[in-house]
Amino acid sequence: MDFGPHLLLASLEGAVTAAILALTAMGLSIVFGVMRVVNVAHGEFFMIGAVIAWAVASSFTGNPAIGFIAALIVAPLIAGIIAAVADKLILQRVNYDPDRTIVATIGLLYIIQQTALMTFGPDARPVTPPFNTRLSLPWFEIGESGFVMTWPWGLSTTSYKLFVIVAAIAVLTGLWVLMTRTKAGLIMRATQQDSETAQAFGVPVKRVYSYVFGLGAGLAAVGAVLVVPIQQAHYLMGHDPLLLSFIVVIIGGLGSLPGTVIAAILIGMSDGIISVFFSPTLAKIIATLVVALVLVFRPHGLLGKKV
Amino acid sequence: MTKNSLYSHCLHFGTIALLVALFFLLPAYHVGNLSRIMVLAVYAMGFNLLFGYTGLLSLGHALFFATGMYGLGMAMNTFGLPSELALIVGVVCAILVSTAIGLLALRTTGVAFMIVTLMFAQAGYLTVLYFGSYTRGDEGFVIQQAERIFAGVDITGETSRYFAALILFSIVFLLIAYLVRSPFGRTLVAIRENEERTKMLGYDTVRHKLLAVIISGSISGLAGAAYALLFGYVGATFATVQYSIFPLLWVLLGGAGTTLGPLIGVVFMFYLIDLSSELTQAYMLIAGVVLVLLTLFAPQGLAGEIRRKVFKWLP
């Protein structure tokens, strides 16, 4: 394959990564934005989503689409409930103290991960995509014989991958509507700006926190359900999404939602492209170093405002 | 000598005497465990100086541990240096890395400091994997038994290994005990309690924090180098996030900001994991549960709770 088609293929893979990443990182970003806590267990809610998606999808026989749709509803719900309960039992009791919350969520990370190991087992398990038509893509070239359209071998994507991108855009649009056009969004934004004043105006801040923590976990789980037909479910799979979400949230500016989306596209695309042309490990080394240096020299991220 | 410092001298030398006595009292299996525990306790003490006394929570200490470990391991295996020189190489590497990390990471505070250290450690781990042809990546490499001779003593035997670990532990233990009672250590505690006020009183807090990172990182690197030398294995596992979390767990469990806490924490956690890994493969579950329970009920750890309730003089 020539460089051009190869780059197009890499960009398509990158777009899928970016879509999943935008969903997962958005969960982390909302939690940080509203509650001002860093949830180190975020990747494990991603993993819960994937594992439940496998459990639900494999319990339905017949058309894989039914199982998949059921998983898309059930998995985020369960992940959200687990997160909300964890918030009530643990985070609320340490009063969202930043240091203690980090330590507690590290503990939560191991509890969830190891429970998954005991119940789900150490094997990676696949989920059948609801549809998976192979789509060949054309490539346009201006050669000696003028403008030609070719179909390079290997330049193709699947209908499912395109669906992932569309679905992620749909969920993010829904989230934007929720945050800016509904009363629930108004309450969340009020809590984010000044939780004490919000409390004084009758906003049940504690309950809002539980819902927000659940919403964050749910978003990660949606990302995971979308990704399992491409990547298998495994009890250690939460590690990479956590790291990448951290990177995205920091680059985008802590707590800035539009920044998160832009950074997710930036990181997802460049991760996809660097991984195709160079080594995935090198891509991650560069990304982590960039994040550390961004935090050191621009502590509010690229789009973040000064607090 | 005041009464309190007499007590703490008795405590520190008593602990070392107890460790000597345990060698003769315990069966061979536990003696082997204890030499591992003492080296890990050195790592925990290095971490405690920064977290417990200075109040800086680093989530990337595995980077320093692994730097010492690979510094020694590669000096011996790749360049064929004798173990004494290799140990120096390992520690010097750790000093250099911790100075660089300190200069960069200390520009941030709070949550950002934790994430920056976590990210640098992650980059370090990935670098070990990326240069897999030299470091042998996840698989790691073994330091040959014939080469593991330190100052003319073969340290592969159970007895010599135990006392090598004990000597290392005692030096670092007494050093830390001295350091935290010195004006330098007092200033670190002052920074932990109220950095602004310490600065206003005329102390150079930036320099103190940088020194704390360097000393803490070097001790962790020394522990890593000693671990590689005494147990003969160097691997990327020791650079993972898990090995940054372990010292936090040990120190929190034992009691942050106490001299004895790290040792207590390592002993408890080591045997907790040892016992539970016989029952289930998901032994890290225990670590998670302990972490959550600690943050909820005993944020000061075992030694910290003892100090609060019984012995106020505990160093």
Side-chain angles (χ1 to χ4, degrees):
Chain A
M1 229 191 301
D2 293 332
F3 178 76
H6 206 158
L7 184 66
L8 177 65
L9 193 65
S11 315
L12 272 172
E13 292 298 316
V16 175
T17 316
I20 303 290
L21 192 53
L23 286 174
T24 317
M26 191 55 86
L28 195 67
S29 187
I30 284 187
V31 167
F32 184 84
V34 176
M35 303 165 67
R36 295 278 144 194
V37 296
V38 177
N39 175 17
V40 185
H42 193 66
E44 302 314 309
F45 292 117
F46 184 87
M47 183 271 291
I48 290 184
V51 166
I52 292 174
W54 171 80
V56 172
S58 58
S59 65
F60 280 91
T61 47
N63 194 335
I66 301 169
F68 182 78
I69 292 167
L72 208 47
I73 298 165
V74 174
L77 213 58
I78 296 182
I81 291 171
I82 293 175
V85 169
D87 172 73
K88 255 204 148 39
L89 287 182
I90 304 168
L91 300 190
Q92 226 169 69
R93 289 185 178 206
V94 299
N95 249 329
Y96 304 100
D97 174 83
D99 292 13
R100 287 171 76 191
T101 303
I102 287 201
V103 178
T105 50
I106 291 172
L108 196 60
L109 180 161
Y110 284 118
I111 293 176
I112 296 174
Q113 181 194 81
Q114 301 291 313
T115 311
L117 171 62
M118 288 198 304
T119 51
F120 174 74
D123 305 319
R125 302 183 201 241
V127 171
T128 328
F131 43 81
N132 206 15
T133 332
R134 190 152 213 91
L135 305 168
S136 292
L137 296 173
W139 181 253
F140 303 98
E141 223 164 345
I142 300 169
E144 290 159 12
S145 50
F147 189 76
V148 284
M149 190 171 89
T150 54
W151 299 84
W153 187 84
L155 180 62
S156 66
T157 185
T158 62
S159 55
Y160 183 74
K161 285 185 178 170
L162 295 180
F163 165 74
V164 168
I165 299 172
V166 174
I169 294 172
V171 173
L172 288 175
T173 313
L175 186 71
W176 178 74
V177 170
L178 175 79
M179 290 301 279
T180 56
R181 298 283 183 273
T182 66
K183 196 173 174 207
L186 187 66
I187 290 175
M188 278 193 256
R189 281 181 293 137
T191 314
Q192 168 166 12
Q193 276 178 11
D194 189 339
S195 60
E196 275 177 29
T197 313
Q199 177 100 51
F201 277 84
V203 172
V205 169
K206 279 187 179 170
R207 207 179 327 150
V208 173
Y209 279 179
S210 292
Y211 280 127
V212 167
F213 206 65
L215 176 66
L219 280 170
V222 172
V225 177
L226 289 174
V227 90
V228 270
I230 303 172
Q231 187 194 354
Q232 300 184 336
H234 184 250
Y235 81 101
L236 287 176
M237 74 188 295
H239 192 244
D240 278 358
L242 173 70
L243 196 70
L244 284 173
S245 303
F246 259 124
I247 295 175
V248 164
V249 171
I250 289 164
I251 300 259
L254 291 168
S256 149
L257 301 190
T260 305
V261 174
I262 295 170
I265 296 168
L266 202 72
I267 299 284
M269 295 295 279
S270 51
D271 186 67
I273 293 171
I274 298 175
S275 303
V276 167
F277 288 104
F278 303 99
S279 112
T281 318
L282 186 64
K284 284 204 194 91
I285 295 179
I286 294 172
T288 41
L289 281 180
V290 165
V291 165
L293 294 175
V294 163
L295 256 183
V296 168
F297 294 106
R298 271 195 68 96
H300 303 290
L302 296 182
L303 288 188
K305 293 180 218 88
K306 269 210 150 51
V307 183
Chain B
M1 194 183 277
T2 62
K3 205 167 127 199
N4 279 3
S5 71
L6 179 71
Y7 279 161
S8 62
H9 274 87
C10 291
L11 182 75
H12 293 139
F13 285 103
T15 307
I16 294 169
L18 177 70
L19 285 169
V20 174
L22 281 177
F23 174 76
F24 299 100
L25 298 174
L26 288 177
Y29 171 70
H30 294 287
V31 165
N33 281 350
L34 210 53
S35 19
R36 217 171 273 263
I37 285 172
M38 284 188 291
V39 178
L40 293 177
V42 172
Y43 181 23
M45 286 190 288
F47 182 83
N48 189 29
L49 184 72
L50 194 64
F51 172 62
Y53 288 99
T54 322
L56 290 169
L57 173 50
S58 146
L59 292 179
H61 255 52
L63 178 64
F64 307 133
F65 189 78
T67 301
M69 183 171 242
Y70 276 95
L72 175 125
M74 293 186 66
M76 286 180 76
N77 257 30
T78 318
F79 302 104
L81 292 182
S83 63
E84 298 85 1
L85 266 180
L87 186 70
I88 295 173
V89 171
V91 175
V92 169
C93 288
I95 292 175
L96 293 177
V97 171
S98 53
T99 311
I101 301 291
L103 284 172
L104 287 170
L106 283 175
R107 296 172 63 109
T108 63
T109 50
V111 170
F113 181 80
M114 302 177 204
I115 297 175
V116 167
T117 46
L118 181 71
M119 289 295 163
F120 277 125
Q122 187 65 23
Y125 166 65
L126 291 168
T127 309
V128 170
L129 293 189
Y130 187 68
F131 291 102
S133 49
Y134 304 101
T135 62
R136 319 252 349 199
D138 267 331
E139 202 181 305
F141 58 86
V142 171
I143 300 174
Q144 292 306 320
Q145 201 161 354
E147 291 167 21
R148 283 159 54 204
I149 294 170
F150 192 82
V153 182
D154 176 13
I155 43 173
T156 54
E158 199 65 84
T159 312
S160 51
R161 182 157 70 190
Y162 186 89
F163 283 99
L166 180 60
I167 290 170
L168 175 76
F169 171 82
S170 308
I171 293 173
V172 176
F173 187 55
L174 295 176
L175 175 78
I176 297 257
Y178 163 75
L179 212 56
V180 298
R181 295 188 75 87
S182 71
F184 174 73
R186 299 285 189 194
T187 316
L188 294 188
V189 174
I191 292 174
R192 178 189 72 191
E193 294 303 323
N194 191 337
E195 190 175 342
E196 286 302 310
R197 181 185 276 182
T198 316
K199 204 187 284 177
M200 236 166 52
L201 288 173
Y203 291 97
D204 187 350
T205 54
V206 176
R207 198 178 63 93
H208 275 86
K209 286 199 290 184
L210 180 63
L211 274 175
V213 172
I214 295 172
I215 298 173
S216 168
S218 317
I219 292 176
S220 304
L222 176 67
Y227 198 92
L229 188 62
L230 292 177
F231 302 101
Y233 172 74
V234 175
T237 337
F238 295 103
T240 54
V241 184
Q242 196 165 325
Y243 269 83
S244 294
I245 303 299
F246 272 138
L248 173 66
L249 194 63
W250 295 325
V251 168
L252 274 177
L253 181 59
T258 61
T259 46
L260 210 53
L263 180 67
I264 298 176
V266 177
V267 170
F268 261 81
M269 211 55 223
F270 192 93
Y271 277 100
L272 210 56
I273 287 183
D274 193 50
L275 292 176
S276 54
S277 59
E278 282 170 21
L279 300 175
T280 163
Q281 140 194 47
Y283 61 86
M284 278 305 286
L285 180 65
I286 308 289
V289 173
V290 169
L291 266 179
V292 170
L293 291 180
L294 273 173
T295 38
L296 285 181
F297 301 111
Q300 310 206 327
L302 294 172
E305 293 296 319
I306 293 173
R307 169 157 67 184
R308 200 161 61 91
K309 292 194 175 121
V310 202
F311 305 115
K312 294 244 169 5
W313 53 268
L314 210 65

